[in-house]
Amino acid sequence: MTATAVVDGQWGDTGKGKIANYLVPLLNATCVARYNGGPNSGHTVKINDIILRLHMVPCGITYPNVLNVVGNGMVINPEVFVGEMNEITSKGYEIRERSADGYGNLLISTKAHLIMPWHLTLEEEIEQAKGDRMVGTTKRGIGPAYMSKVEREAVRFFDIDSQERFETRVKEVTQTRRNQFGLQLKKIAPFIFEDSENALVKERLEAAIGSYFGEVYSKAAETYKYCQQLLPYVGDCTGALLDAMDRGENVIFEGAQGTLLDVDHGTVPNVTSSNATVGGIVTGTGVPLKRIDTIVGTSKAYTTRVGNGAFPTELNDEVGERIRKVGDEFGTTTGRSRRVGWIDTVILRYADSINGFDELAITKLDVLGGLDKVKICYAYEIDGTEVTDFPTDETVLKRAIPKYETYKGWPYMTSQEYISSAKNGGFLKEIDTYLDRLYEEVGVSITMVSVGSERDETVLLK
Ligand code: IMP
């Protein structure tokens, strides 16, 4: 039995889906489990011209006999999930529900939380209220759904058991919000309620609040029709994973977002709302820590970031523009253009310290082909001092000036040329120098290098 985790070492979008999908046959894995995030993630798998953009369904779905586990640490929008399932089946991949003799190939945790329609509205309002401090979220309701989870005023997959149970729960949580809103109003403007002259205002206000929350409730109750479609896939994910491991089978944990987007260890406040680092596996699936054997870190051969926040190695010049264009650096989920910069080993060392990487997969190496020079950031200068440890305080990170080593680039090559050169004597010496320096700076063996968008355009170095 082996349990292998694929965890992003940067700000997301490093090809975790592709690497996890590539590892399934290599490790003969029978389960792929997601443990954090939700429809904010975008994992692209390209197999023989079929492009699958997965957001919540684990990437093992392309293999008929792999169980895909949607862990309890995830937040799921039922309508979007049903849409994703339709998209997967329309591309020729089968999704099987649970039957009397066992699981199908997709299992959603009873303990996972639902993204409800009010979460989307709330996110718009919060982002707007922050003004120029807005995070630049994916607007999928992720933050508010996790807020409800922590507040313990949320709907879980346990609650979709029957329409009655679902509607009772929706009523309870909307009523809490309505009560809370009423209490706040009484505190802020007590005169409306105390002054008899305001009786009409009070009456009209109460009617308006009643109709607003009535609408919130009915919109949320409509979500049930999508929940009904998901019900045959809901079950005990922790049990399924532990059973598979007890039978000696191999399991892959597919991370989402990235180390620097982790709600605890990332560049707060411009982060997502879940634990994208390795600790998220334990809380987000219920599998004990000691059962995870290998942690594969993923990093692009350069760095990208979506949304706001400090980015020391960002390139706002024609080199950055070229990398963005060649690397097709536009968000899978939102289509937003990604910010681009040189690879930053200060970040990767930090990611290794948090996650304990056993191996590193470097993706999109081919995108750098054709550049005269390539740079590796090995340290920052902050307030006149050289710093090699990553400062997680964004206000400090904003002052970081990257210190680079510059290396000769290598020519443009097709993915096939990279693969055949690797087979016949190894990569060009300029590429080896670049990878060797990354290894020396980060201290983690590079075992995989991806050189094209197809799943199999990956070179195994071990
Ligand atoms: P949220 O996860 O939608 O709340 O967004 C919070 C921050 O995380 C924003 O800066 C997003 O751009 C970023 N983010 C969330 N998911 C991803 C992802 O899968 N890839 C890259 N950035 C992401």
Side-chain angles (χ1 to χ4, degrees), residues 11 13 40-42 135-138 142 257 261 271-272 306-307 336:
W11 275 292
D13 308 316
N40 51 347
S41 330
V135 174
T137 68
T138 59
I142 305 295
Q257 286 77 53
L261 290 173
V271 292
T272 192
V306 192
R336 286 184 293 176

Side-chain angles (χ1 to χ4, degrees), residues 8 11-14 16 37-43 123 127 135-144 146 256-258 261 269-274 304-309 331 333-334 336 338:
D8 185 303
W11 275 292
D13 308 316
T14 55
K16 295 170 289 293
N40 51 347
S41 330
H43 293 182
E123 180 162 36
E127 280 283 89
V135 174
T137 68
T138 59
K139 298 196 173 163
R140 297 298 185 270
I142 305 295
Y146 280 114
Q257 286 77 53
L261 290 173
N270 294 307
V271 292
T272 192
S273 309
S274 64
T304 58
R305 179 167 196 181
V306 192
N308 300 331
T333 301
T334 59
R336 286 184 293 176
R338 295 180 185 139

Side-chain angles (χ1 to χ4, degrees), residues 11 260 267 303 310-314 342-350 376-393 396-404:
W11 275 292
L260 295 188
T267 44
T303 311
F311 185 172
T313 63
E314 183 166 17
W342 294 118
I343 197 157
D344 184 338
T345 60
V346 183
I347 291 177
L348 293 176
R349 276 194 298 271
Y350 173 67
I376 294 175
C377 167
Y378 63 92
Y380 302 146
E381 187 189 311
I382 302 175
D383 305 332
T385 306
E386 184 169 308
V387 170
T388 51
D389 289 337
F390 185 72
T392 48
D393 179 350
V396 177
L397 191 63
K398 269 190 191 138
R399 303 202 298 276
I401 302 162
K403 295 184 82 112
Y404 291 115

Side-chain angles (χ1 to χ4, degrees), residues 241-255:
L241 287 167
L242 293 178
D243 286 351
M245 291 164 125
D246 287 345
R247 287 193 300 268
E249 296 173 14
N250 298 336
V251 168
I252 293 174
F253 296 100
E254 178 187 356

